[in-house]
Amino acid sequence: DIQLTQSPSFLSASVGDRVTITCRASQGISSYLAWYQQKPGKAPKLLIYAASTLQSGVPSRFSGSGSGTEFTLTISSLQPEDFATYYCQQRLTFGGGTKVEIK
Amino acid sequence: QVQLQESGPGLVKPSQTLSLTCTVSGGSISSGGYYWSWIRQHPGKGLEWIGYIYYSGSTYYNPSLKSRVTISVDTSKNQFSLKLSSVTAADTAVYYCARAGLGTAALLVLDYWGQGTLVTVSS
């Protein structure tokens, strides 16, 4: 089974910061990786799929990159509404999550 | 705009069967093209696939839950359902229904989610 390891599990950042979250797969998964954002008490929201394709309606400050075993989600300029937990997903496997909090 | 809404009891007794239904609006389950999925999230924890169903009735279940899970679909009502038997406190979680893609690049990518429903297992 494929394992997805996210790092860091927690990060503290300020509005306007550039933030990068990494997701590492235990074996190569081509570009079959998605990213989700989840706010407290809400369902996850799809941000990116196929590693780098932005879901319709998602702000362009979000971007994804990578292939094979290493992937990144980047928020170019963190906004107040971006403080949330982020998950990567490959098919039936989710990463453990990265919580982004206000510094 | 596709919308999904979970419904069912919020409290289930240990050893009983958890039953939830997801009603889909804004799109037809029977049009194909998607897997209709159940995902759960234990309090303060990450996400776990339970399984999914295609409109034809074909299913996939998480091996760790397979012996206790049944997912069914009712295309006439545009609904799909989850049954989880012999529940324990470890099944206390928020249960989400969601739509998952079929295409290669979007296989099992979850683009629409219900709001989630907390199910507590307690006597």
Side-chain angles (χ1 to χ4, degrees), chain A:
Chain A
D1 289 359
I2 292 171
Q3 315 290 330
L4 296 177
T5 303
Q6 286 184 236
S7 59
S9 54
F10 172 89
L11 74 86
S12 181
S14 300
V15 172
D17 283 354
R18 181 181 182 87
V19 167
T20 298
I21 298 168
T22 297
C23 179
R24 288 188 174 87
S26 58
Q27 59 187 273
I29 58 172
S30 185
S31 297
Y32 302 132
L33 191 92
W35 291 96
Y36 300 84
Q37 175 194 66
Q38 186 178 32
K39 296 181 180 179
K42 301 293 187 183
K45 172 188 173 184
L46 176 64
L47 298 176
I48 286 167
Y49 65 95
S52 60
T53 301
L54 203 64
Q55 175 69 350
S56 176
V58 174
S60 59
R61 63 180 179 274
F62 291 93
S63 64
S65 65
S67 67
T69 61
E70 186 151 336
F71 302 83
T72 58
L73 171 70
T74 299
I75 309 171
S76 61
S77 178
L78 199 64
Q79 298 302 300
E81 60 268 30
D82 301 336
F83 291 96
T85 300
Y86 294 84
Y87 293 94
C88 59
Q89 177 223 2
Q90 197 276 339
R91 307 282 166 89
L92 297 165
T93 302
F94 290 96
T98 295
K99 187 173 185 179
V100 177
E101 289 201 341
I102 301 172
K103 182 182 284 185

